[in-house]
């Protein structure tokens, strides 16, 4: 079954010179995680996302009218920064992989099944 592992981190965590150093370290850790997933035979994909300042949200009101807004739908201090999709046996295995995802302090990983209504 496929699970999406959604990575949330504090907005602006990678800004500035110190942030860029953190980013380089986190990317290296993600590369090691990818190697571990391959070694375990887990089919996966994933990508980082651009900052929320590049986002647009299409919102539908109660009458069905759609409007476009810059940025994410909700104001928040954390941002969805990337994701993995893993094809594993069950939620426990997906959660075990989520524990291995490198994330900054204050971050979180949401584990959610994909499809199969």
């Amino acid at each position: 079954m496929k699970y999406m592992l959604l990575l949330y981190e504090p907005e602006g965590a990678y800004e500035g010179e110190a942030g860029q150093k953190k980013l380089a370290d986190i990317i290296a850790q993600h590369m090691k995680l990818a190697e571990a997933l391959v070694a375990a035979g887990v089919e996966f994909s994933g990508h980082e996302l651009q900052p929320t300042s590049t986002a647009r949200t299409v919102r539908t009101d109660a009458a069905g009218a759609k409007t476009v807004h810059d940025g994410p739908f909700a104001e928040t201090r954390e941002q969805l920064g990337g994701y993995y999709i893993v094809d594993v046996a069950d939620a426990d295995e997906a959660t075990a992989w989520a524990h291995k995802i490198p994330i900054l302090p204050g971050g979180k990983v949401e584990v959610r099944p994909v499809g199969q209504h």
Side-chain angles (χ1 to χ4, degrees), residues 7-25:
L7 289 62
Y8 295 92
E9 291 182 303
E11 181 82 53
Y14 299 115
E15 292 177 357
E17 188 175 329
Q20 289 302 301
K21 289 179 182 177
K22 288 181 199 175
L23 179 60
D25 182 53

Side-chain angles (χ1 to χ4, degrees), residues 9-113:
E9 291 182 303
E11 181 82 53
Y14 299 115
E15 292 177 357
E17 188 175 329
Q20 289 302 301
K21 289 179 182 177
K22 288 181 199 175
L23 179 60
D25 182 53
I26 285 286
I27 288 172
Q29 292 178 51
H30 279 281
M31 299 306 285
K32 289 179 183 176
L33 176 63
E35 291 172 6
L37 286 160
V38 168
V42 175
E43 289 185 37
F44 74 98
S45 64
H47 291 282
E48 67 178 291
L49 299 177
Q50 295 297 314
T52 58
S53 61
T54 66
R56 289 184 175 181
T57 298
V58 178
R59 186 172 184 174
T60 306
D61 67 17
K66 296 184 185 294
T67 55
V68 178
H69 302 269
D70 289 335
F73 177 72
E75 292 294 322
T76 180
R77 288 183 222 188
E78 57 187 25
Q79 68 175 345
L80 175 60
Y83 66 91
Y84 285 90
I85 296 176
V86 296
D87 193 352
V88 294
D90 55 30
D92 290 337
E93 186 177 354
T95 302
W97 282 109
H99 276 276
K100 296 176 183 181
I101 292 176
I103 199 106
L104 292 178
K108 64 184 176 188
V109 178
E110 178 181 347
V111 178
R112 190 182 297 189

